[in-house]
């Protein structure tokens, strides 16, 4: 009964390849996110979607494209992978009914460790 | 601009003792939420405790309490009776209603806590 699940857990690939990370939440939440955690453990927002609509798109290369087929899913597709893309990518969700709720915690998936060689 | 500062990169505490992890924040939004997350070596992000900007009392959750000093813009996490399983990275984070972040959760750089037996 995992709340936020993302697959795969580990992803090792070569430069130039295209890869996807899938995320699903069964909490009934309205907002979903992608965060990147770098080698120094710093967590930074990449994207957020509220009811399938893109809300935040931080300064992320356009090689990264999120796709939200429905409220429960937010996938991340990465084109032309580069060495610097190596990181842990976290999917998360929050309740946020009719508007963004500053008092709702984000619930995180277990992360996908991406290694680009 | 919204900002979270954690000044302690690493902390040591003896088992069964209490420890305080520091967090200061900066925001011009009167409505915001403060959160603490734990990241053990296994990598998942675990939500620990929440404090709202309008809450009059400090939040508590089991052995975790949040020392909220609004005028000083600090939200320190206190862990009582430390256990070996408390060894982990701890992140302070904030959500606010307005501004460019639009409800995004902004993280500090984290504090690595090590509990000594």
């Amino acid at each position: 009964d995992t709340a936020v699940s993302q697959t795969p857990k580990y992803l090792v690939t070569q430069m130039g390849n295209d890869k996807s990370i899938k995320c699903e939440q069964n909490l009934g939440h309205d907002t979903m996110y992608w965060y990147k955690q770098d080698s120094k453990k710093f967590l930074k927002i990449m994207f957020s979607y509220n009811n399938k609509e893109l809300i935040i798109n931080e300064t992320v290369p356009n090689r990264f494209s999120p796709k939200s087929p429905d409220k429960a899913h937010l996938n991340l597709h990465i084109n032309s992978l580069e060495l610097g893309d190596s990181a842990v990518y976290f999917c998360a969700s929050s309740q946020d009914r009719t508007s963004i709720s500053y008092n709702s915690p984000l619930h995180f998936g277990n992360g996908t460790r991406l290694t680009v060689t | 601009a919204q900002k979270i500062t954690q000044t302690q990169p690493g902390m040591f505490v003896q088992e069964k003792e209490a420890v305080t992890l520091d967090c200061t924040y900066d925001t011009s939004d009167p409505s915001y939420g403060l959160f603490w997350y734990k990241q053990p070596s296994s990598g998942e992000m675990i939500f620990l405790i929440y404090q709202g900007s309008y809450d009059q009392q400090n939040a508590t959750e089991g052995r975790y309490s949040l020392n909220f000093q609004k005028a000083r813009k600090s939200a320190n996490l206190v862990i009582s009776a430390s256990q070996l399983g408390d060894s982990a990275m701890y992140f302070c984070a904030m959500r606010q209603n307005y501004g460019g972040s639009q409800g995004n959760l902004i993280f500090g750089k984290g504090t690595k806590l090590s509990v000594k037996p």
Side-chain angles (χ1 to χ4, degrees):
Chain A
D1 59 342
T2 306
V4 182
S5 60
Q6 53 183 109
T7 54
K9 187 172 174 63
Y10 300 97
L11 188 51
V12 180
T13 188
Q14 292 184 328
M15 284 174 56
N17 285 348
D18 303 339
K19 290 292 178 185
S20 292
I21 307 172
K22 294 186 176 181
C23 179
E24 177 182 5
Q25 54 96 3
N26 62 6
L27 297 166
H29 286 172
D30 293 282
T31 310
M32 294 186 72
Y33 310 79
W34 279 107
Y35 276 80
K36 179 180 181 180
Q37 186 173 43
D38 62 23
S39 58
K40 295 184 178 178
K41 300 288 189 180
F42 185 62
L43 282 145
K44 188 170 164 48
I45 183 76
M46 298 175 69
F47 303 100
S48 76
Y49 270 74
N50 181 260
N51 280 307
K52 302 196 313 176
E53 181 184 345
L54 180 65
I55 302 297
I56 292 174
N57 181 356
E58 290 291 315
T59 51
V60 175
N62 57 16
R63 297 182 295 105
F64 291 80
S65 54
K67 286 189 171 47
S68 181
D70 55 56
K71 260 178 39 171
H73 296 84
L74 180 62
N75 303 323
L76 183 65
H77 189 76
I78 316 170
N79 289 327
S80 303
L81 278 154
E82 301 177 356
L83 293 176
D85 298 332
S86 295
V88 179
Y89 292 85
F90 283 97
C91 177
S93 71
S94 60
Q95 189 165 19
D96 301 334
R97 292 290 178 199
T98 57
S99 61
I100 300 295
S101 303
Y102 65 86
N103 56 359
S104 295
L106 270 62
H107 297 263
F108 286 81
N110 287 340
T112 295
R113 181 174 293 277
L114 172 65
T115 304
V116 183
T117 61
Chain B
Q2 189 182 4
K3 187 178 178 182
I4 294 284
T5 302
Q6 294 179 255
T7 57
Q8 306 152 314
M11 290 276 288
F12 287 92
V13 65
Q14 201 69 37
E15 193 178 8
K16 299 180 185 176
E17 291 184 351
V19 63
T20 298
L21 306 184
D22 294 342
C23 173
T24 58
Y25 61 93
D26 191 19
T27 180
S28 55
D29 190 341
S31 304
Y32 54 88
L34 297 157
F35 304 81
W36 278 90
Y37 284 82
K38 172 184 178 182
Q39 186 176 39
S41 58
S42 49
E44 68 270 32
M45 293 288 291
I46 303 167
F47 165 62
L48 294 178
I49 194 167
Y50 159 79
Q51 180 85 44
S53 58
Y54 299 110
D55 293 345
Q56 296 295 313
Q57 293 193 333
N58 288 341
T60 59
E61 289 287 348
R63 294 187 298 111
Y64 304 109
S65 60
L66 204 153
N67 185 358
F68 181 46
Q69 297 188 44
K70 194 170 182 177
R72 298 178 64 181
K73 293 190 174 179
S74 73
N76 299 338
L77 178 70
V78 180
I79 305 175
S80 62
S82 296
Q83 301 172 357
L84 295 178
D86 294 334
S87 294
M89 281 288 286
Y90 288 83
F91 293 96
C92 181
M94 177 170 66
R95 295 186 83 183
Q96 63 185 33
N97 260 359
Y98 302 107
S101 66
Q102 299 187 57
N104 170 26
L105 190 66
I106 303 292
F107 284 89
K109 292 186 176 181
T111 296
K112 185 172 183 179
L113 178 67
S114 300
V115 180
K116 298 187 288 186

